[in-house]
Amino acid sequence: MKKFYLALLFLGIFVGFLSSCSDDDECTPLPAPPIINITSGNLSMHIGDSIILKASVASPTETTFSWILDTTEVSTDSIYVFKSEYSGLFDVKLTATNSDGTVATTTSITVQPGEYKNGTFVLSENNSLLTFISPEGKVTTDAYTDENGTKLGSVNQDIFIKNHKMYIVSQNGGGDGFLVIANAETLKKIKGFQTELNGKVNWPTHVAVLGDDDIYLRDNNGVKRFQPSTGTVTLIEGTSGARKNTMAVADGKVFASVKNTVVVIEAGKDIISSTINFDGEVSGVIKASDGNLWVSDRSGKITKVDAKTYQKIGMNDIPTEVASVWNTTYAAAPGITAKGDTLYISGLTSKIYRHIFSTKETKLMVDAKTMVDNVGIVYNTCAVHPLTGEVYLNSIKGYGQNYKINNISVFNFSGDEPELSANYENYTAFPAGTFFTYNFE
C-alpha cells in the first residue's frame, strides 16, 4: 500500500511538470520531488496515535521544508510527527525548496472517530454517572469514570458539546469540579474547574458555549459568562431569575429563558443583546433543525422564532390537557423536544404527546406505564433522537432506594401503534437529561 501511495506521489508531480512546459519552451529543472516516508503508523489512525512523516529529496542541494496542516505551518524540519485528539480527514502539505525551485505534495490522513463521538448520553444527578448508549445499543454505565478513573462533580445537570469538547456542569461541584471539559470523542478530561469557580457560582445547573473563552453558566443568580483564560466570571445584567432549564445556541448566540422572555446573548458580550417576549412563562427553548428556535410557554403555545431577526414566524395553540404538563413541571430539561417540525411533550408525566407543527395536530402517543414496568416517576422530560425519531423517556420506580430501579425507555412511533424499541434497566441515578451527540453537530 505504501509503494502504491509513493507511486501516485511521483505521478502527480511528474504530470504537473509536463503540463508546465511547451515544446518550444526551455524548462528549468525542478528540484527532485520530496518523498514522504511513513516510518511509523499508516494513513489511517486512531485518536491519540501518531504517524511519523519523513521527507527526503534526491538532490545534493541544500533543501528547506515546510509542513502545512490545514493553513498552519506546523514544522520546518525534515520530520513531522502528526497526531490528533479528534477525528476527521486531515491534509498535510509538504513543500520543498532549494536553489532549483519549489515543489509540493499533499497527503491525507484519516483519524478514526473516538468511541463516544456518536451516540446518546444520559447524565445522572446522583453517583456522578455519565451513561453512554452506542448507536448499536451497547450501554456503558459510567463512561467518564471508566476513561478517567475519577468522578464528575455532584448533582450533574447539563451537557454541551462544542469544537470537539464536552462541557459538563454539576450543581454542587466536588469531584472533578463544577465544570468539566473533556474530549468529546474519548471523554478524557482536559480540565476541571473547582477552585476557579468556588464562590463565583451559586449552584450552577446549565451550560452553553460559544467559544473557548465564551462559556455561559446559568446559576441561582442568573446567567454568567465564564472566561477560563482569566478566570473571570461576569453576571449578565437582566438575567436574574433565569429559569433552571437548558439554554439554546443558534446562529452563534445563546438564548436563555427568563420568566416570560427569551434573552439573547452574543459572543464576547456580558450584556443582553435582545429580548423576545411571550404570553406565558417560557417552559422550553431549543434549536430547530433549520437553525431557528422552538419556544414553548405556559400560555399553551409553541412558537417558531427566527434566530437571526427574532421575529415570530409561526405560532400554534396546544390543547389545554397537553399544555397543562408545562404548568406542573420544574424539570431541568426543556418542555419540548423536536425532530423537524414534529415536537414531543411529556413534562413529568408518563404520557408522551406529539404535535406536528405544520398540520397543528396534537395526539397522545403512549402512556409509558402501559408498556414498561416500574414507571413510578418520570424524571425530567422526554427527548427525541434527531436521526431515528425515536423518543427516550427516563423513569424511576420511586424515591428512597427505589430510584435504583429505573428505565431508559425508547419508543418508536413510526407505525400505527407505539413500539418499545429498547428498554435499558437500572443504569441511572436520578437522570437529569438525555443528550444526543448529533444535536451538537
Side-chain angles (χ1 to χ4, degrees):
M1 182 174 178
K2 292 180 185 177
K3 290 181 180 178
F4 177 68
Y5 166 70
L6 293 176
L8 287 178
L9 175 62
F10 277 112
L11 179 62
I13 293 173
F14 186 57
V15 170
F17 174 69
L18 288 180
S19 64
S20 67
C21 299
S22 69
D23 292 338
D24 298 328
D25 293 334
E26 290 186 10
C27 292
T28 301
L30 292 174
I35 302 171
I36 299 178
N37 295 310
I38 303 171
T39 58
S40 175
N42 52 46
L43 295 179
S44 180
M45 58 182 281
H46 295 288
I47 293 173
D49 291 346
S50 60
I51 291 178
I52 301 175
L53 303 174
K54 182 178 181 181
S56 60
V57 174
S59 169
T61 307
E62 182 178 353
T63 303
T64 60
F65 301 101
S66 174
W67 301 87
I68 304 293
L69 179 61
D70 294 328
T71 58
T72 303
E73 185 177 66
V74 291
S75 177
T76 57
D77 202 328
S78 61
I79 294 176
Y80 169 56
V81 180
F82 174 84
K83 187 175 183 178
S84 177
E85 296 303 323
Y86 57 91
S87 62
L89 180 65
F90 298 85
D91 289 330
V92 180
K93 180 181 180 181
L94 168 64
T95 300
T97 303
N98 60 28
S99 58
D100 295 324
T102 298
V103 291
T105 187
T106 300
T107 185
S108 296
I109 300 174
T110 298
V111 181
Q112 301 297 332
E115 182 178 355
Y116 306 105
K117 178 178 174 62
N118 298 314
T120 303
F121 288 94
V122 179
L123 184 65
S124 289
E125 296 179 352
N126 282 24
N127 303 335
S128 302
L129 296 181
L130 181 59
T131 302
F132 178 72
I133 306 173
S134 74
E136 297 76 30
K138 177 185 175 183
V139 183
T140 304
T141 304
D142 190 1
Y144 180 84
T145 301
D146 287 354
E147 297 300 326
N148 295 282
T150 55
K151 286 283 189 180
L152 293 168
S154 175
V155 191
N156 296 290
Q157 293 286 288
D158 196 20
I159 288 174
F160 196 90
I161 299 174
K162 175 79 172 180
N163 292 336
H164 314 289
K165 298 173 184 177
M166 177 180 287
Y167 298 78
I168 309 162
V169 65
S170 67
Q171 180 175 291
N172 294 351
D176 280 349
F178 288 104
L179 175 68
V180 172
I181 304 176
N183 184 302
E185 297 191 43
T186 67
L187 295 189
K188 293 293 185 182
K189 183 179 78 170
I190 298 171
K191 176 72 174 177
F193 298 91
Q194 177 65 32
T195 57
E196 298 90 340
L197 292 174
N198 197 28
K200 297 180 181 179
V201 292
N202 180 8
W203 282 23
T205 60
H206 292 83
V207 58
V209 181
L210 298 181
D212 289 346
D213 228 26
D214 269 323
I215 301 172
Y216 295 87
L217 300 171
R218 179 268 163 207
D219 71 1
N220 282 354
N221 301 122
V223 178
K224 296 176 178 178
R225 181 187 178 208
F226 173 44
Q227 298 170 266
S229 65
T230 61
T232 304
V233 178
T234 306
L235 175 64
I236 297 174
E237 186 178 354
T239 62
S240 177
R243 190 163 185 259
K244 184 180 177 181
N245 208 273
T246 304
M247 296 179 286
V249 171
D251 193 43
K253 294 166 285 193
V254 172
F255 296 84
S257 55
V258 181
K259 301 176 182 176
N260 285 34
T261 71
V262 170
V263 298
V264 185
I265 306 167
E266 296 179 354
K269 295 186 178 181
D270 301 329
I271 60 173
I272 292 173
S273 299
S274 189
T275 300
I276 311 167
N277 295 297
F278 296 88
D279 292 337
E281 183 179 355
V282 174
S283 61
V285 52
I286 60 175
K287 182 181 178 180
S289 59
D290 62 2
N292 290 309
L293 298 167
W294 294 111
V295 180
S296 60
D297 73 76
R298 292 186 176 181
S299 71
K301 295 182 177 66
I302 294 177
T303 305
K304 186 77 171 288
V305 177
D306 189 306
K308 293 183 182 293
T309 66
Y310 318 136
Q311 297 298 308
K312 297 174 182 178
I313 53 180
M315 183 185 297
N316 285 359
D317 289 312
I318 306 300
T320 303
E321 175 192 359
V322 182
S324 65
V325 303
W326 294 330
N327 296 321
T328 59
T329 176
Y330 290 92
I336 51 175
T337 180
K339 180 182 184 298
D341 79 333
T342 300
L343 297 98
Y344 293 91
I345 304 159
S346 69
L348 296 180
T349 75
S350 58
K351 296 179 179 180
I352 300 175
Y353 296 89
R354 183 182 70 191
H355 177 76
I356 302 176
F357 198 79
S358 56
T359 64
K360 300 186 178 182
E361 175 196 7
T362 305
K363 179 181 178 182
L364 173 65
M365 302 307 294
V366 73
D367 184 338
K369 290 183 177 180
T370 65
M371 300 185 72
V372 182
D373 292 333
N374 298 312
V375 179
I377 298 170
V378 170
Y379 214 82
N380 277 294
T381 60
C382 65
V384 61
H385 195 293
L387 299 185
T388 68
E390 294 176 314
V391 179
Y392 288 60
L393 188 74
N394 296 316
S395 63
I396 61 177
K397 183 176 182 179
Y399 293 112
Q401 292 302 303
N402 279 333
Y403 81 89
K404 295 180 179 179
I405 302 173
N406 55 74
N407 298 281
I408 305 171
S409 303
V410 185
F411 295 96
N412 187 319
F413 299 130
S414 61
D416 294 333
E417 296 294 331
E419 294 183 8
L420 186 64
S421 299
N423 194 65
Y424 306 100
E425 297 181 359
N426 307 328
Y427 283 103
T428 69
F430 296 106
T434 303
F435 305 87
F436 306 103
T437 59
Y438 314 97
N439 275 334
F440 298 96
E441 295 176 350

